[in-house]
Amino acid sequence: MDTIFAKRRRRFLARMQEGVAVFRSAPVCRRNGDVDHPYRQDSDFHYLTGFEEPGAYAVFEKSRDRRRFVLFVEPEDPEQDVWTGRKVGVDGAVRDYGADEAFPNREFLDRLPDLLLNRPRLYLAFGRDPDFEREVLGRVETLKSEARKGHHGPWEVVDPRVILWDMRLRKTPAEVASLERACEVTMAGFEAAMRAIRPGMREWEVAAVLEFEFRRRGASRVSFETICAAGANAATLHYVANRSRMGAGDLVLMDAGAEVDFLAADITRTVPVSGRFTEPGRTVYSWVLRAQEAAIATVRPGATYREVHEAGLRVLCEGLREMGVVKGETREIMESGAYQPFFMHRIGHWLGADVHDVGPYFRGGESIRLEPGMVLTVEPGLYFSDANPAAPEWARGIGVRIEDDVLVTRDGRRVLTARLPKAVEDVERFMAAGSWWEGVRPASIGRVRRTTSR
Ligand code: GLY
Ligand code: MN
Ligand code: MN
């Protein structure tokens, strides 16, 4: 069964030195009372196993003549399963998830000493899950106390993320295909939202349209909490309250993403609530768009992350100067940091299983060079908060960010979210050309088909 997960395991094991790697699934988090937050598997755990249930452990063994993958899972329990449905179980872990061997999760700690016995090296993520660390290292210590029986445990602990995160940084063609689907679904959500926005609506209604389309089109969940921020709310970078009423003169910033196959899209569009850009928002918007286009144009193999950042920053600083927000030459504004009250984040981030995906941005003090298969967001913005004394009066209450997802290819780049309008005229034309509300009349949904068998 050569699944995407089996391929990843082979690559991971090929890069491991002799030893044993142990991983634990993400914990279940209580929301309130006896209700839990929706469960989402840990990205590293899922990357290697594809296993989505909680309460699991994965063990990888590598020696000169043997490579083994062992899963410990929540066993089937007919009484419990009446409430929560059937679990994968021990047999399913072998049959459907490619484990060489599987055991009930309650046996993990008892079997661990055998798995670690006389192994030179333990791969264990440290600093993330202190309870798990303590339990595993406790078993290592026990082995060492048995020296007279000829036992020893691993002497060396390596964080497996040094391998995994390097793997996750470069997407395989199969991963790119999933990410493209996530981007497709996300763009469809934005198209719907752009045609649903009306003055007087609440931000939460726009968020609901985005998320409705994501789920309707098969996304597992959102990549992060949806941001719908009208007017001055857009100057709060991670505004998620989404409860203000949108005025006809406002711009509304939507930053959202759908997750498909554990890969996250992340798009931002800032559009006029009325459907037509007006000054001064239009001018601010145009500078951000130019900055974004300049930054995207630098993405290619061999370019550094810093070059992408600076290409966008240069145009933002030019815009701040031209608009009279900051005085001085563009270069001075860039170097002095005088732009920071209005642009306080970096140009973008790696994108993958986590929206702010893993992987280094610097190596040996040098900004990392882009390679084919890497995916990053490019998302400049200008923010003029009501509470920012440095913001000129005319600009207060305007926040603009434009964000696309960009794959580095052999000969340059591919913007995975390019279809979604962002030029001023394109946005206006798109918003004017139809109403999402027409599209949701029950008649258009089609005949309801029965999906469960009786
Ligand atoms: N949605 C968070 C970000 O754009 O980084
Ligand atoms: Mn982003
Ligand atoms: Mn975003």
Side-chain angles (χ1 to χ4, degrees):
M1 199 172 32
D2 205 19
T3 60
I4 189 173
F5 305 104
K7 288 189 183 122
R8 289 170 178 168
R9 286 193 291 272
R10 271 206 303 279
R11 286 167 53 216
F12 174 70
L13 277 156
R15 288 177 65 170
M16 259 177 78
Q17 291 180 279
E18 196 173 331
V20 174
V22 293
F23 296 88
R24 174 150 87 166
S25 59
V28 173
C29 294
R30 187 48 56 100
R31 195 193 78 167
N32 63 288
D34 59 357
V35 176
D36 297 328
H37 280 289
Y39 186 74
R40 195 236 188 231
Q41 188 55 279
D42 173 80
S43 295
D44 287 330
F45 195 93
H46 180 266
Y47 186 82
L48 288 175
T49 64
F51 197 76
E52 295 194 36
E53 290 180 7
Y57 303 87
V59 179
F60 299 88
E61 272 184 75
K62 179 172 180 179
S63 59
R64 243 159 299 150
D65 49 6
R66 194 157 107 125
R67 286 169 196 206
R68 224 159 62 100
F69 164 43
V70 183
L71 269 175
F72 292 83
V73 302
E74 193 73 52
E76 289 191 67
D77 172 348
E79 244 170 75
Q80 180 68 30
D81 293 353
V82 169
W83 297 88
T84 51
R86 263 184 87 171
K87 297 186 186 68
V88 169
V90 172
D91 294 339
V94 173
R95 187 183 59 236
D96 301 329
Y97 289 84
D100 296 306
E101 221 174 342
F103 302 98
N105 54 1
R106 60 176 173 272
E107 295 179 20
F108 174 71
L109 282 178
D110 290 341
R111 290 184 181 272
L112 194 55
D114 267 353
L115 292 163
L116 298 175
L117 182 66
N118 298 350
R119 304 290 183 174
R121 201 168 284 104
L122 168 67
Y123 286 85
L124 171 69
F126 41 83
R128 178 153 72 176
D129 186 348
D131 292 340
F132 183 51
E133 246 170 77
R134 195 169 344 100
E135 285 171 357
V136 173
L137 295 178
R139 292 305 194 271
V140 173
E141 196 57 21
T142 306
L143 279 178
K144 286 178 180 155
S145 70
E146 296 171 351
R148 279 183 299 274
K149 294 190 206 162
H151 292 179
H152 72 77
W155 294 102
E156 198 181 301
V157 180
V158 179
D159 194 319
R161 294 176 292 184
V162 70
I163 301 174
L164 271 180
W165 288 9
D166 195 57
M167 288 171 63
R168 282 178 52 188
L169 181 57
R170 291 171 200 80
K171 276 69 183 175
T172 61
E175 288 160 3
V176 170
S178 292
L179 199 46
E180 281 177 317
R181 272 196 57 219
C183 288
E184 272 303 321
V185 167
T186 305
M187 286 190 285
F190 272 78
E191 286 167 346
M194 284 164 74
R195 287 187 169 165
I197 290 169
R198 298 284 180 273
M201 272 170 65
R202 298 277 192 168
E203 293 161 340
W204 65 60
E205 296 180 76
V206 181
V209 173
L210 282 160
E211 294 180 14
F212 171 75
E213 290 291 338
F214 294 172
R215 292 308 306 274
R216 190 160 89 88
R217 290 162 192 273
S220 319
R221 54 186 82 81
V222 291
S223 311
F224 54 91
E225 285 295 293
T226 297
I227 298 170
C228 278
N233 294 336
T236 302
L237 297 180
H238 287 170
Y239 171 86
V240 290
N242 299 348
R243 58 174 158 244
S244 295
R245 205 177 281 289
M246 307 189 299
D250 288 340
L251 291 171
V252 56
L253 182 156
M254 299 171 282
D255 183 350
E259 189 183 292
V260 171
D261 296 342
F262 279 73
L263 284 159
D266 180 12
I267 298 181
T268 306
R269 287 292 182 268
T270 308
V271 303
V273 171
S274 67
R276 293 200 77 84
F277 285 93
T278 52
E279 294 298 350
R282 184 185 170 112
T283 297
V284 175
Y285 183 90
S286 301
W287 279 110
V288 174
L289 182 58
R290 280 177 60 184
Q292 203 224 16
E293 286 168 344
I296 288 175
T298 62
V299 173
R300 78 183 88 81
T304 62
Y305 174 77
R306 186 199 297 272
E307 281 162 7
V308 181
H309 177 72
E310 290 188 347
L313 179 60
R314 188 168 302 111
V315 179
L316 292 178
C317 290
E318 203 183 316
L320 288 169
R321 183 175 59 88
E322 289 285 317
M323 291 186 287
V325 177
V326 184
K327 293 199 182 6
E329 289 305 308
T330 301
R331 175 139 293 283
E332 275 168 34
I333 300 172
M334 281 178 78
E335 284 169 7
S336 67
Y339 62 85
Q340 279 168 356
F342 317 106
F343 176 55
M344 54 296 276
H345 54 81
R346 305 288 293 179
I347 197 72
H349 49 82
W350 305 131
L351 190 65
D354 297 320
V355 64
H356 295 162
D357 207 28
V358 296
Y361 291 83
F362 289 85
R363 216 173 256 128
E366 291 294 317
S367 178
I368 203 163
R369 289 194 184 277
L370 301 179
E371 293 171 32
M374 293 180 177
V375 181
L376 71 161
T377 67
V378 178
E379 49 175 311
L382 285 175
Y383 311 96
F384 301 100
S385 141
D386 281 338
N388 183 351
E393 202 68 46
W394 64 262
R396 290 200 186 165
I398 296 176
V400 175
R401 179 165 63 252
I402 306 171
E403 174 174 33
D404 283 298
D405 302 342
V406 184
L407 167 72
V408 184
T409 59
R410 273 221 314 263
D411 42 357
R413 75 208 69 84
R414 185 144 55 84
V415 180
L416 303 178
T417 48
R419 191 188 79 224
L420 194 61
K422 62 181 174 183
V424 165
E425 304 71 30
D426 292 346
V427 170
E428 290 179 345
R429 202 175 313 118
F430 185 85
M431 290 178 78
S435 165
W436 181 79
W437 300 104
E438 296 295 319
V440 291
R441 279 202 195 126
S444 73
I445 292 177
R447 247 159 45 84
V448 177
R449 264 173 300 159
R450 198 185 295 287
T451 53
T452 52
S453 52
R454 285 228 177 134

